[in-house]
Amino acid sequence: MEKKTLLTHCSDAPGLISKITNICYKHQLNIIHNNEFVDNASGHFFMRTELEGYFNDQTFLADLDQALPEGTKRRLVSSERKRIVILVTKESHCLGDILMKTYDGSLNVEIAAVVGNYDTLQSLTEKFDIPYHHVSHVDLSREEHEQKVMEAIAPYAPDLLVLAKYMRVLTPNFVEQYHHKIVNIHHSFLPAFIGAKPYQQAYDRGVKIIGATAHYVTNDLDEGPIIKQDVIPVDHNFSAKDMAQAGRDVEKNVLSKALNKVLNDHVFVYGNKTVIL
């Protein structure tokens, strides 16, 4: 007996839920949990179905293709733990949170390795018996450095890359290699205060909330599909440094919550948005 998740999205039409569930019944698959959503603005249908049973993936998906509208996108994904590689620079709070939540089972994931452009976080990583690769960017062009990073990542064949305060802008070539497989945490409530020193920008504007945004990485800096956001209140008593300190807690919490959704296949990417079921 296996457990898998079916992710389906297509143009909305009458009877889609019935068609999908009937095919599940035909293949004697038990539906454990089901969620669906229709974006009325675009006329698009999304459905996430948790299944258990004995799967013949090829015939099951072929039957779905025959029943559903042309252009339907569907994936049948295993419930096995996914593998991630984490990219870091010097800040430890997001990496430390992921390491601890993986250790205590709060995040159901295999951390295959951590790659950093400094060795600052090597000792922290190795305390959890996880390989650390120090790939320095010094005296290398961005392209040369990224090539070495990709060489470090490749043997692990990760399902997802996580930028845990990785303070390097990725080139289009790198992003293309991992299309919609890179999750970043941004220390701001996007789209406000993008780029450098967001907490100083927030302080200068006298904001009353600060936040963090987890999103997929695209070639448009800090503008990829948003997965999770959160905010906390601040006031005139907060300096820029105070805001940055408070923001670290928001950042690590938002990133881990986003990863939990992505790793458990709750996230559909549609255009430059996400639908989370």
Side-chain angles (χ1 to χ4, degrees):
M1 188 81 71
E2 294 180 275
K3 290 184 178 181
K4 296 189 178 185
T5 301
L6 175 65
L7 304 172
T8 309
H9 68 102
C10 60
S11 297
D12 191 28
L16 290 174
I17 297 172
S18 176
K19 289 176 180 178
I20 294 170
T21 55
N22 283 340
I23 291 170
C24 294
Y25 177 74
K26 174 184 174 182
H27 285 259
Q28 299 184 336
L29 299 173
N30 183 37
I31 296 176
I32 304 170
H33 193 79
N34 192 72
N35 288 96
E36 65 279 335
F37 168 73
V38 175
D39 182 350
N40 291 317
S42 64
H44 211 76
F45 170 86
F46 302 84
M47 183 160 153
R48 179 184 183 275
T49 311
E50 294 181 19
L51 300 165
E52 68 175 1
Y54 297 98
F55 291 82
N56 184 322
D57 293 13
Q58 185 174 357
T59 57
F60 177 64
L61 293 173
D63 284 349
L64 281 171
D65 290 340
Q66 189 171 12
L68 296 176
E70 185 176 350
T72 294
K73 297 186 184 299
R74 78 292 180 276
R75 290 192 298 132
L76 189 61
V77 294
S78 170
S79 60
E80 294 179 355
R81 284 196 310 166
K82 293 181 173 58
R83 291 163 59 85
I84 65 172
V85 170
I86 305 173
L87 274 61
V88 297
T89 296
K90 291 183 176 181
E91 295 186 66
S92 63
H93 57 289
C94 287
L95 172 64
D97 190 59
I98 296 170
L99 290 170
M100 281 301 303
K101 286 178 177 173
T102 302
Y103 177 78
D104 69 16
S106 302
L107 275 177
N108 183 31
V109 67
E110 176 190 351
I111 303 175
V114 176
V115 179
N117 59 316
Y118 293 90
D119 64 3
T120 309
L121 301 177
Q122 183 164 352
S123 61
L124 171 62
T125 302
E126 292 176 347
K127 283 182 172 67
F128 291 83
D129 295 323
I130 294 170
Y132 187 94
H133 297 267
H134 174 211
V135 183
S136 176
H137 63 281
V138 177
D139 297 327
L140 295 177
S141 69
R142 188 173 299 278
E143 290 75 16
E144 289 170 334
H145 179 248
E146 284 191 353
Q147 182 59 40
K148 290 184 178 296
V149 171
M150 285 191 284
E151 289 170 2
I153 293 169
Y156 297 104
D159 299 296
L160 192 73
L161 297 183
V162 180
L163 308 188
K165 304 300 290 182
Y166 184 63
M167 308 307 287
R168 303 270 296 173
V169 177
L170 300 174
T171 67
N173 177 60
F174 189 103
V175 173
E176 183 60 30
Q177 298 295 317
Y178 299 96
H179 181 64
H180 285 164
K181 291 185 176 181
I182 309 174
V183 172
N184 182 47
I185 183 66
H186 190 278
H187 38 210
S188 177
F189 195 65
L190 293 175
F193 309 129
I194 64 174
K197 298 183 178 179
Y199 291 115
Q200 185 63 53
Q201 296 179 54
Y203 173 76
D204 292 341
R205 288 290 304 275
V207 302
K208 304 308 178 193
I209 58 171
I210 57 172
T213 301
H215 64 97
Y216 287 106
V217 174
T218 65
N219 289 326
D220 297 316
L221 181 63
D222 297 333
E223 293 185 14
I226 291 170
I227 305 165
K228 180 69 178 176
Q229 295 181 294
D230 201 1
V231 295
I232 58 173
V234 294
D235 60 28
H236 58 275
N237 292 302
F238 281 70
S239 66
K241 183 179 180 181
D242 294 333
M243 288 184 182
Q245 289 176 338
R248 292 189 187 101
D249 283 338
V250 188
E251 291 167 15
K252 67 183 184 182
N253 289 334
V254 167
L255 180 57
S256 64
K257 288 176 181 178
L259 289 179
N260 192 51
K261 294 296 184 184
V262 173
L263 295 168
N264 288 292
D265 303 299
H266 287 271
V267 182
F268 294 82
V269 179
Y270 180 60
N272 201 43
K273 297 195 299 184
T274 60
V275 171
I276 300 176
L277 296 179

